[in-house]
Every structure is written in structure tokens, then in C-alpha cells.
Amino acid sequence: MTTDAQPTARRLPVTDLSLVVLIGTSGSGKSTFARRHFKPTEVVSSDFCRGLVADDENDQSASADAFDVLHYIVGKRLAAGRLTVVDATNVQPEARKQLIALAREHHVLPIAIVLDVPAEVCAERNRTRPDRQLPKHVIPRQQRELRRSLRGLEREGFRKVHVLHGVAAVESAEIVPEKRYNDLRHLTGPFDIVGDIHGCRAELETLLVRLGWTLTRDAEGRPVDAVHPEGRTAVFVGDLVDRGPDTPGVLRLVMGMVEAGHAICVPGNHENKLGRWMDGRKVTVAYGLQESIDQLAAEPEEFRARVREFMRGLVSHYLLDGGALVVCHAGLPEKYHGRNSGRVRSHALYGDTTGETDEYGLPVRYPWAEEYRGKALVVYGHTPVPTASFVNNTICLDTGCVFGGSMTALRYPEREVVSVPAEREWYAPVRPMHTDAPGAREGRPLDLGDVAGRRIVETAHHGRVSIREENAAAALEVMSRFALDPRLLAYLPPTMAPSATSRRDGYLEHPEEAFHAYRHDGVRQVVCEEKHMGSRAVVLVARDGSALDKRFGLSGPGAIWTRTGRAFLNDEELTAAVLDRVRAAAERAGLFEELATGWLLLDAELMPWSLKAAELLRRQYAAVGAAAGAALPEVLAALEQAGGRGLDVAELTARQRQRAADAEAFTEAYRRYCWPTEGLSGIRLAPFQVLAAEGANLAVQPHDRHLAWIDRMVAADDPAAPILRHTGRLLVDTEDEASVAAGIAWWEELTAAGGEGMVVKPLASLARGQNGQVIQPGVKVRGREYLRIIYGPDYTQYLDQLRQRFLGHKRSLALREYALGLEALDRLAGNEPLWRVHEPVFAVLALESEPVDPRL
């Protein structure tokens, strides 16, 4: 407790995340003090809450409801991690008890600031307030209650108590913000995070050297510090001591690194227990503690005193890298990050258990990581696992070195796991080296809460993307009933906007608008790619049967799916046959080896269109063609007879002949997309982009590199019965008139030969405009005859009306879906948990429910 009589009285330390409780009689100046030292949003006043529920801040009959509101607001602020100040008299223990309970519930420090102002001053201030006239007995009673409270505030649970005696002390006080001990968010790394050591000094030395550290030794050759030439910082997750052969050697090295500023360390449960034993407290000597006791007994008292001081100063967990990284010993749910309480420290040291014991008599750990959904990466140890692997943005680095396993470190932010084997089994484990902590599998990978309701998805290239609740519900219906196993759905392709509407006579779309738009955005080099006459397909192909197991948790050849995540082919044998051909071509082309991967994710077109859309063709397009073919000849015959009788039907006959020609052109157009297939015979796959490989988002690579990879695959396909199809392309310089003219001529040649059209893309793939914003990743320019399928047989007669189409929403949708797709691939490459990858993938499907003209 500090008072104004002490030199530090005017400086009041207040932790940045805490509950500050102002205590003082009416008229002591609490509201004025709060306004002077805290933000208006940080202060929750009982008077204000009384006004909320009664329209009168002085209506004492509303106090019960007012304090219900106050406690609710305080709880919400603390849950959100906000400093909160309670402006009320708080002179009664019952009032303070509820606030301390709120602080404990949300694991923040309760701090009391007492304004001990003379009763006569308070009375005078109340007399000068026309809106508040208190009975004479109120202030003396509050003063008595305050006096009785002063000595017991710390016993009630306040971690800090500041008492200001008198008006001068109140007016001269200064609030000094303090960071929490666990708040090291200003340290951004890079870090080398080391798992449990347990006295294995030799392995620790080997691991540090493997990580690039240079050891410093004392005169006796013992390591006492280590420095990394690239300025990296080591982080130790605890359990430095017990069981192993050289606990003092480990402590000497780690303490030296911490003291030199080259490392930070959190305590493990073994440090906690050893520290209590060294402080003379009663503990049960078990689980390797005796080894540490015996080894430290041979060290000088000066060293043991240094160890005691080191252990007393360890903080339960740390927030690092702006809060993106949390390091602790036994793991920590998101609600505990950055908080301070006995419960938080206990969980950080020991974790949580189910209350059961296993066949070895050891507690069964609660699998908190399987339910973790936090944004911060949590790195921990405590429970040995055979190998370190990421589970829901967490990773356990205890790989049982002392039990004969290995010692493991995580390089951050690279997310690279580095291990060295144990020199021997130093301590026999109570149970075999298996894990009850999460391993390579995510126990409950997806949850309804991950996707339901209105959501906002953060993307690196387009900021926040909002998903409406009704769109999420529609996507959930599709995903849950029709989609593939979500573990495989690492990507859904975005929709694509058409080029700006052409004003050329007879055209609705033309390449010159696409070239002009990219030139306007500062994109000089574009690639024009042939638009194939099929359906969009995403292909995940495995190099062998087990290649997908590590990342996707499934074995097999891979999968092929549609834009809505459904299996493209309902025939599993046919799917496997197609994948086998793709795999063989990629193998012969050397792509697996070049990209150092066991799988590839491809964006492609699968043909013919009738392979997937046969029912659509029959019901929609063939029906239109058949109806026109049946009706129009009879109409023309009747008109010709009428003309033969001298009736003036020449104009009407010409119009109907044009309609017949349009209908014939319409039928011819959609028939180009249909041909018979039997097994693999007739199937064609045209890959045009290699989206991802192990640890790499390749979608941001230039398009000419993608097409070169694809060309090698096509060339390596079976020449006797090829199924892979080449994608024609042409590079265009948007600032060169001759190059633009060549691009237009190429499009005209493609479409004249019956092709669908082309897609124009920035050659550099991910392109930004002059304002720094991501621009359209590609625009489609469809041919005149193909557009008959979309807009109807006689659409050319209504071009003036069709030119009024609005492209803004479609363009916005294309950009948002593109950014979400890149985000999914980034998370996939970053080895993030399935639910994190699935979040933007699901969002793409949800955006497909937004109302937009389907013809665009």
C-alpha cells in the first residue's frame, strides 16, 4: 500500500489491463479524478448507469438495476481486454467483493485507488451541487465505512492499493501506466523456441549449434552464453531441470543467455517445484527432482542463490510479436493470453486434465489444442510427443529428449521445426513414448462455430471480407450435403468478371476493352489464355498413396472438385484413372522433384462440358434448340404461303429467317461443348495454373512460369492416348498498338474457329494498380457465338439493351473471392490448421450466394 506521505505517493502505477476501483465518499472527487486521468470510454460510472435505467442519476431506488448494468459493462470490457475504471463510492465490502470477483473471473489485476478526503470537504461539495442533496448522515456513515476498509483492502484481493490522503494528494496524483510482465509484444524476433530440456545439456548444445548459435564458454570449458550471428533470440518453454544428467549445466547456459539478453524463458512445472524446494517449502521429491537436488548440491552456494533468484523471476507466459506468438510451458487457451491470475499461471505450468488417470496412474490431459481457434500461435511443451507438429495453430515442442527421444526447436516466424536426437535414454519414462496431447491429427478439425452466422475474414491482399449470415447458411447447406471431405478442400476458384461492355457494332464483349483497362491500371504485360470449352476443376494429385497424409490427413491419389466443392466425377474409378494420368505426367515432367513436394494443387478446365453439365444441356440448351427447330420451319412455310398469295409479309419473313439462323447458330454453339466419352476416352483436362505445393503458395508466381510447368506436363502425357490439353496463349504489350492488334486478331481467330474466347491476365499474376489496390486477376472476353448460349439465340438483336448490364458487383465479387483464395493458399503453405484454411474457402462458397447476374 502506498500513501501520500511516501515519496511515491503522487505516482500511481496502474497495469495496462486491470480493473481500477475508485473508493471514496460522495463528493471526494472520484468522477473528476477519473476524467482527468482516464479515457471517457474506460470509466464506468454508477451514476451514469443509474441514469440509463431511470433517467435520473440520483434516483437511489434504481441502484440495484444500475449496478447490474455496471457489472455487465465491466465484464464485457474485461473480457475484451480493456482497462476499466469503476467510478462509484465502493466503501462497502459487499460492493467491492463483486468487482474483485469480476476481475478474477476475467483474470485481470484489481487495483484500488482510495480518495480519502475530509468529510467537511465532501459535504461542502455536495451542498454546492443543486442536483444532489444528501441527508446529513450519509457522508459520516460512508467515512466510517471507508475507515474500516482501509486496512483490509489487500486481504480482500486487491493486488495494488493506492491511498491518497487529502485534497492536495488527490489533485497532485499522477497515473503511471505499467505493462504487464508477460507483455513482450514489442519483441518481434526472429526466435528459436526450444522445447523441454530436462538436464540434457549436451543435446541442448548440439541443437543450438544446429540452429546457428555460437557458444561462449568459461575458463572451465562450460557453456555460459550463446549468440546468434543473425541476432535471433532464443525462447525456452521451461522444464530445464530434473531427470537428466546435467541440470546445473543447462541452468548455467540458459541463465547466461537470459542475463545477456540473448534469450527469454518461461517456467515449467519442474522449475516451479524445484524453486519451492530451494526456498525451503515442503514438496514431494519425485519425477526426477532428486537428480536436480543431488547435482545442485555439488555447486557453490553462490550458484544456487543465482538459480533461486532466476526461478523467482520467471513469468508464466509471454506475448510476443505483437501478440501473434504466445509461449508457455503447458499450453494456454486464448482467453488466458496476456492475463494474470493464479488460474492462468496454473494452466501455463500444468495444463488441464480431464480428472481421469490412465493405466499408468498419470493424469489424462485435456486436449485443449484440438479446440483452439485463436489467432496467436501457441508454442508449448510439457507432455512428450513423438514428433512436433502443428495442431490448430499450436505446437508442442516436448519430444522427450530425456526419455531417449529428441530435443526440438521451432524457428519463428519461419515455422521450421529442427530436432536433434538424444544421446541416450537418460531417464526411463513411466509410460511409453506416446502422446495424449494432440499429435499430427487435428482431433475435431471443424466446428459449426467456425462458419455459422455473419463473419469477417481477414485477408492479406484485400483486407476484411464480410460474409452475410444468409450466405453462410446457404454455403453450409452445400458444404454439409454435397461437398467432398473438407480436409481436401484447400481451395475454391473465384468467379471471373467479363471485360467492360463493348460499343463495337455487333459485339457485346471485345478484347480492346480488356487491354485498355489493364493499360489504365498501369499493367503493361498481359497474357491472353485460350478459354477452354469445359467446366472449372480443381485437381489435387498425390505423388504416391501416402503423400497427402501428412498435410491433409487422408491417403489416396487425390481428388477433383468443382467450383462448389463437389466431386467432379461421381465415378471413383474414373477419378482415380484421371489422377493417375496427371500424376504420371507430372512425375515424368519432374515437377514433384523440382518443387520438392509430394502433391500438387492445379487449377484446370475439364472437358467436355457435357461431362458435368449433361442435364443442364438437355433441359435448358437442347430444349431451346429443339423447340426452335420444330417451330420455325413451319412458321417460315406459312409465311412463304402467305407471301405467295400476295400478302405483304416480307419484313416478318426476314425476321423469322434471321431467328431460324440464330437458332441454328445457337444449337451449333452448344454442340461444340458436347462429345461422347467412355472411360478416359474423350476426356480432356487443360491445367492452366499450379496453385500450390508443399509449403508453397505458387498462385502468386508469374503466369508464364505456370504455363511452362503445364507445357512440360502436357508434353510428358501419354502420346498414344493423351488427356492433357495445351492452353494456347499470347503475350500482349498493352502500350504497343501492334501487339494489341495481334491480341485482337488472335481472339478473332479463336472465336471464328468455334472457340469460347480468352482470358486476359496480368503476366505478373498478383498485380496492383496505381493506388496500391489489387486489380482484377483476369477478365474473360467471350466470343459472339458463345454468348448466344448465355444470352439466347437472338441476343444480337438486343445489344443496345444488353449493353446496360452493370459489372460493378461482379467485379467486386471476383476481387473478394480472389483474395480469399490467395488467403487459403497462404494458410495452406504456412502449415496453418485446417479450420484456418477452411475459413476463406468456405467464404468463397458463401459469396457465390450473393445475387449477381448469372450471365456475367
Side-chain angles (χ1 to χ4, degrees), residues 222-292:
R222 300 174 300 188
V224 294
D225 192 9
V227 180
H228 199 285
E230 298 173 4
R232 300 179 74 90
T233 299
V235 186
F236 296 95
V237 304
D239 276 6
L240 312 174
V241 305
D242 294 352
R243 294 176 174 155
D246 192 1
T247 283
V250 170
L251 288 170
R252 188 175 290 109
L253 174 55
V254 172
M255 290 190 302
M257 294 175 69
V258 171
E259 290 164 2
H262 300 145
I264 56 178
C265 183
V266 297
N269 58 300
H270 285 264
E271 280 79 48
N272 184 54
K273 193 172 185 180
L274 176 60
R276 287 187 290 129
W277 180 85
M278 296 183 76
D279 285 336
R281 299 170 66 180
K282 185 177 180 180
V283 298
T284 301
V285 178
Y287 302 113
L289 177 58
Q290 187 63 55
E291 281 74 7
S292 292

Side-chain angles (χ1 to χ4, degrees), residues 744-759:
I744 293 173
W746 188 66
W747 176 81
E748 290 173 342
E749 181 183 341
L750 279 177
T751 55
E756 180 176 331
M758 69 184 184
V759 177

Side-chain angles (χ1 to χ4, degrees), residues 46 153 196 207 221 229 245 264 428 457 530 593 792:
S46 59
L153 292 175
D196 297 36
L207 179 59
I264 56 178
V457 181
E530 173 189 2
E593 185 173 351

Side-chain angles (χ1 to χ4, degrees), residues 47-121:
D47 287 346
F48 177 75
C49 292
R50 197 176 288 111
L52 284 177
V53 299
D55 292 330
D56 182 358
E57 293 187 354
N58 297 307
D59 185 353
Q60 299 300 313
S61 67
S63 291
D65 290 336
F67 277 95
D68 285 344
V69 172
L70 183 146
H71 293 149
Y72 180 81
I73 296 172
V74 169
K76 288 295 183 182
R77 285 188 58 83
L78 295 181
R82 306 291 183 187
L83 172 68
T84 304
V85 181
V86 176
D87 175 13
T89 58
N90 294 315
V91 294
Q92 296 176 329
E94 293 78 11
R96 298 190 296 269
K97 183 178 180 181
Q98 295 183 64
L99 295 173
I100 292 172
L102 276 172
R104 287 174 175 166
E105 178 185 346
H106 296 286
H107 311 287
V108 302
L109 299 179
I111 298 174
I113 299 180
V114 181
L115 281 63
D116 185 14
V117 175
E120 58 271 17
V121 175

Side-chain angles (χ1 to χ4, degrees), residues 22-337:
L22 301 182
I23 303 173
T25 61
S26 298
S28 59
K30 298 182 299 300
S31 297
T32 302
F33 183 89
R35 284 194 298 271
R36 181 186 304 145
H37 296 290
F38 301 99
K39 298 176 185 177
T41 52
E42 293 174 336
V43 180
V44 185
S45 163
S46 59
D47 287 346
F48 177 75
C49 292
R50 197 176 288 111
L52 284 177
V53 299
D55 292 330
D56 182 358
E57 293 187 354
N58 297 307
D59 185 353
Q60 299 300 313
S61 67
S63 291
D65 290 336
F67 277 95
D68 285 344
V69 172
L70 183 146
H71 293 149
Y72 180 81
I73 296 172
V74 169
K76 288 295 183 182
R77 285 188 58 83
L78 295 181
R82 306 291 183 187
L83 172 68
T84 304
V85 181
V86 176
D87 175 13
T89 58
N90 294 315
V91 294
Q92 296 176 329
E94 293 78 11
R96 298 190 296 269
K97 183 178 180 181
Q98 295 183 64
L99 295 173
I100 292 172
L102 276 172
R104 287 174 175 166
E105 178 185 346
H106 296 286
H107 311 287
V108 302
L109 299 179
I111 298 174
I113 299 180
V114 181
L115 281 63
D116 185 14
V117 175
E120 58 271 17
V121 175
C122 297
E124 180 60 28
R125 288 175 175 173
N126 280 297
R127 278 194 296 271
T128 60
R129 289 184 59 176
D131 61 334
R132 177 178 296 178
Q133 296 299 318
L134 299 176
K136 292 182 178 181
H137 70 276
V138 171
I139 292 178
R141 175 177 56 77
Q142 291 179 348
Q143 282 279 346
R144 290 193 298 272
E145 291 172 331
L146 177 62
R147 289 280 174 268
R148 286 194 294 266
S149 298
L150 283 179
R151 293 184 179 179
L153 292 175
E154 290 178 339
R155 289 195 301 272
E156 290 179 11
F158 286 103
R159 298 291 293 274
K160 296 178 183 178
V161 178
H162 305 301
V163 180
L164 301 172
H165 293 295
V167 174
V170 172
E171 292 180 348
S172 61
E174 178 187 353
I175 298 295
V176 181
E178 277 188 338
K179 290 180 66 175
R180 288 157 281 165
Y181 291 137
N182 55 35
D183 185 357
L184 297 183
R185 288 176 291 179
H186 61 284
L187 299 182
T188 57
F191 301 110
D192 290 334
I193 309 170
V194 180
D196 297 36
I197 300 170
H198 284 298
C200 299
R201 177 194 50 78
E203 289 88 344
L204 175 59
E205 289 186 40
T206 303
L207 179 59
L208 289 174
V209 171
R210 177 78 59 83
L211 292 166
W213 290 74
T214 301
L215 297 172
T216 301
R217 300 182 184 273
D218 63 11
E220 299 179 38
R222 300 174 300 188
V224 294
D225 192 9
V227 180
H228 199 285
E230 298 173 4
R232 300 179 74 90
T233 299
V235 186
F236 296 95
V237 304
D239 276 6
L240 312 174
V241 305
D242 294 352
R243 294 176 174 155
D246 192 1
T247 283
V250 170
L251 288 170
R252 188 175 290 109
L253 174 55
V254 172
M255 290 190 302
M257 294 175 69
V258 171
E259 290 164 2
H262 300 145
I264 56 178
C265 183
V266 297
N269 58 300
H270 285 264
E271 280 79 48
N272 184 54
K273 193 172 185 180
L274 176 60
R276 287 187 290 129
W277 180 85
M278 296 183 76
D279 285 336
R281 299 170 66 180
K282 185 177 180 180
V283 298
T284 301
V285 178
Y287 302 113
L289 177 58
Q290 187 63 55
E291 281 74 7
S292 292
I293 294 172
D294 294 342
Q295 293 165 21
L296 287 169
E299 297 292 328
E301 175 55 32
E302 180 183 355
F303 179 78
R304 291 197 297 270
R306 185 177 162 211
V307 169
R308 283 194 295 269
E309 192 63 27
F310 171 72
M311 290 186 179
R312 289 170 184 161
L314 295 177
V315 177
S316 66
H317 71 286
Y318 283 119
L319 275 69
L320 300 161
D321 192 20
L325 173 64
V326 172
V327 177
C328 55
H329 178 62
L332 209 60
E334 187 177 29
K335 64 181 180 179
Y336 292 155
H337 294 179

Side-chain angles (χ1 to χ4, degrees), residues 822-833:
L822 289 181
E823 184 67 23
L825 295 175
D826 279 342
R827 296 180 183 186
L828 180 72
N831 207 25
E832 294 196 35

